Amino acid sequence: MRHRHPAHHYVNGILAGDRLLLSQAITLVESRRADDQELAQQVLEAILPKAGNSIRIGITGVPGVGKSTFIEAFGTYLTGLGHRLAVLTIDPTSQRSGGSLLGDKTRMETLSMNPSAYIRPSPAGDSLGGVTHRTRETMLLCEAAGFDTILVETVGVGQSETVVHGMVDFFLLLMLAGAGDELQGMKRGIMELADALVITKADGDNRSAANRARVEYQNALHLFPPTGTGWFPPVLTCSALPEHNTQPFGISDVWQTIEEHHQLTTQNGAGNRRRQEQQLTWFRSLLQQRLEGKFYSQPGIRELINRLENQVLSGTLLPSPAVDMLLNPSTNNH
Ligand code: GDP
């Protein structure tokens, strides 16, 4: 039996830091039911004045680079400093392949038991746009619940890192030393988005390779166009596995870098601009999604598209009148 509370019940619970109600509100945000969506929007509207006060950090990297290990160490460090941390994971692969690159239950075991941390995977959706839209709303709920640091993790294999970049204040790219060139570049485009690069597993035999990679990447980053924010993305090294160190190494440097970036972009206004642009992009992509959804949900539209495509293929119809027929079905006599 579905049970739903009135909106104010979720709102009060979230503002009081009640995790159960937070989780239930996130489930509403993720629901496809129209009545759930309506309730979710009421909750979101009410908590909005209390949202936005966190540092939002995106983390990406190829599978195996050490994301979950890093987040364990980083999260434990942050909560040790008194921060309250929410970790949201976006796994664009979990639906397509049936399996998942991120969704493994054993990930972040220590952090999942930490009372100052909250971990929530984003369920796979039909479209990456849909998942990320819900992640943005989830982020707002977590902020209203008092989490001052939000980590959004995604796997660096597709477009998801671009969309995550579009919802965070700081974008962290984890990389391996000594991987092949195709991995090293990891698509130049992603490196260009990064506010910092972290070479992981800088321990044992890998330590000198990590230091070399650090210099190489730092040189590579110098060739990129300036960010326009006065920030120069640094390259750091870290080791997050406890068995290699008495203390994880490099973790506090990553946080210090994020804090420096936060200070700089708060002072020079770049942080605020970035968030404003993100709001606008969110609005525009949502509008596009809704328009497409509305269009494709018209009865018989798929069949009509098929028919028109065949006519375009056979050369009896040009694309432009075909599109006109789709957008103005009343003029359609095909
Ligand atoms: P993810 O797929 O990016 O989340 O990567 P994981 O965090 O699951 O790590 C992948 C593998 O690398 C695991 O076997 C980890 O034990 C190992 N690993 C992660 N971080 C480190 C590190 O700092 N040093 C070493 N030596 N191994 C690490």
Side-chain angles (χ1 to χ4, degrees):
M1 268 280 284
R2 299 171 60 247
H3 175 69
R4 297 290 183 256
H5 303 289
H8 68 85
H9 191 77
Y10 296 104
V11 173
N12 294 340
I14 290 168
L15 296 182
D18 183 322
R19 280 165 184 249
L20 183 62
L21 285 166
L22 171 65
S23 295
Q24 289 174 353
I26 296 174
T27 304
L28 285 181
V29 158
E30 289 167 353
S31 166
R32 287 172 186 282
R33 295 175 54 116
D35 51 350
D36 283 347
Q37 270 306 309
E38 199 185 316
L39 190 53
Q41 292 311 315
Q42 288 170 15
V43 175
L44 282 163
E45 244 166 68
I47 58 89
L48 198 57
K50 302 282 181 197
N53 294 323
S54 76
I55 297 191
R56 303 166 178 172
I57 305 163
I59 295 191
T60 195
V62 293
V65 70
K67 290 181 295 303
S68 59
T69 314
F70 174 83
I71 293 173
E72 278 267 43
F74 188 62
T76 306
Y77 173 75
L78 285 185
T79 57
L81 293 181
H83 291 282
R84 297 191 68 226
L85 173 77
V87 181
L88 313 176
T89 56
I90 297 183
D91 186 347
T93 55
S94 59
Q95 200 201 28
R96 244 179 297 148
S97 61
S100 165
L101 290 176
L102 286 179
D104 182 344
K105 282 210 181 62
T106 60
R107 301 179 88 240
M108 301 178 225
E109 257 171 5
T110 318
L111 206 55
S112 62
M113 288 181 304
N114 184 325
S116 300
Y118 177 78
I119 302 180
R120 174 93 183 193
S122 277
D126 304 339
S127 71
L128 191 53
V131 178
T132 52
H133 162 63
R134 294 193 293 270
T135 306
R136 287 166 188 271
E137 292 185 338
T138 298
M139 206 151 67
L140 298 176
L141 293 175
C142 290
E143 288 171 346
F147 293 98
D148 60 64
T149 314
I150 315 266
L151 293 187
V152 185
E153 180 198 15
T154 190
V155 63
V157 294
Q159 301 169 327
S160 60
E161 50 280 2
T162 315
V163 286
V164 168
H165 174 263
M167 63 172 86
V168 295
D169 305 316
F170 193 95
F171 191 64
L172 198 61
L173 173 59
L174 305 192
M175 298 192 89
L176 292 165
D181 258 359
E182 64 287 358
L183 268 188
Q184 295 274 2
M186 217 185 102
K187 289 176 241 138
R188 195 190 133 94
I190 304 179
M191 267 176 72
E192 236 164 321
L193 296 177
D195 295 299
L197 259 58
V198 176
I199 316 289
T200 55
K201 311 187 192 183
D203 46 50
D205 297 344
N206 207 25
R207 200 162 188 150
S208 52
N211 285 330
R212 276 199 307 278
R214 175 187 185 153
V215 175
E216 278 166 26
Y217 283 129
Q218 195 71 73
N219 290 338
L221 286 182
H222 282 314
L223 303 176
F224 285 178
T227 56
T229 61
W231 177 254
F232 299 94
V235 184
L236 308 165
T237 53
C238 91
S239 167
L241 265 192
E243 59 247 45
H244 287 274
N245 318 277
T246 37
Q247 287 275 324
F249 147 83
I251 300 291
S252 58
D253 297 341
V254 174
W255 179 240
Q256 200 187 325
T257 299
I258 294 171
E259 280 196 308
E260 281 167 13
H261 176 267
H262 180 69
Q263 225 168 29
L264 175 83
T265 55
T266 304
Q267 273 163 12
N268 70 13
N272 200 22
R273 277 201 304 282
R274 183 163 169 169
R275 282 206 178 180
Q276 283 178 333
E277 281 161 20
Q278 291 173 346
Q279 288 294 104
L280 213 53
T281 312
W282 181 9
F283 168 71
R284 288 177 183 160
S285 72
L286 197 56
L287 179 62
Q288 190 178 339
Q289 257 177 53
R290 292 268 171 87
L291 283 175
E292 274 184 26
K294 212 169 156 180
F295 176 77
Y296 287 109
S297 65
Q298 296 173 92
I301 197 77
R302 303 262 174 200
E303 294 73 14
L304 181 57
I305 291 175
N306 276 342
R307 237 184 13 245
L308 292 171
E309 276 183 356
N310 283 332
Q311 293 180 37
V312 168
L313 271 179
S314 67
T316 55
L317 183 65
L318 282 169
S320 177
V323 170
D324 284 342
M325 280 173 216
L326 283 168
L327 295 180
N328 310 302
S330 54
T331 63
N332 165 42
N333 50 11
H334 280 251

